[in-house]
Amino acid sequence: MNNISKWFDRVAEIASEWFGSIPFLLLHLIGWTVWIVTRLDINQLLLVVSLEAIFLEIFILRAANIASRRMENQNKRILNNVKGE
């Protein structure tokens, strides 16, 4: 695996941890509320939310792939240890 891929994997893991946090949720609730209450353009809000959803999904899927790969490697090591006994 090259350095860029390793770097992106680490960024995806860190980002996914942040996306699942309560501060992230509260920040978004406050931001959306302010946007709606101040009557800013709703179309811009929809664009921002849509783009954010796309990027969130990319990072979360990448982090899930990393976790799956790690679990698969761990299962292979365990299986090899059991076969060796």
Side-chain angles (χ1 to χ4, degrees):
M1 202 184 287
N2 62 25
N3 288 338
I4 293 174
S5 183
K6 287 181 183 179
W7 177 82
F8 187 75
D9 287 351
R10 185 67 189 133
V11 169
E13 288 179 321
I14 293 169
S16 293
E17 288 177 22
W18 167 243
F19 298 153
S21 70
I22 296 298
F24 183 79
L25 173 67
L26 293 175
L27 179 70
H28 279 78
L29 287 175
I30 292 168
W32 294 333
T33 303
V34 168
W35 196 307
I36 292 170
V37 168
T38 57
R39 298 186 185 270
L40 295 174
D41 187 14
I42 194 73
N43 290 324
Q44 287 179 346
L45 175 62
L46 294 175
L47 176 66
V48 168
V49 171
S50 297
L51 290 173
E52 181 183 30
I54 292 168
F55 284 103
L56 285 172
E57 189 63 28
I58 290 169
F59 283 115
I60 291 169
L61 285 173
R62 186 67 188 154
N65 287 341
I66 295 164
S68 175
R69 187 177 336 119
R70 285 181 182 156
M71 184 176 283
E72 196 173 300
N73 290 338
Q74 182 180 3
N75 289 340
K76 286 179 184 178
R77 283 192 303 273
I78 291 170
L79 184 60
N80 288 337
N81 289 340
V82 170
K83 287 181 179 180
E85 292 176 356

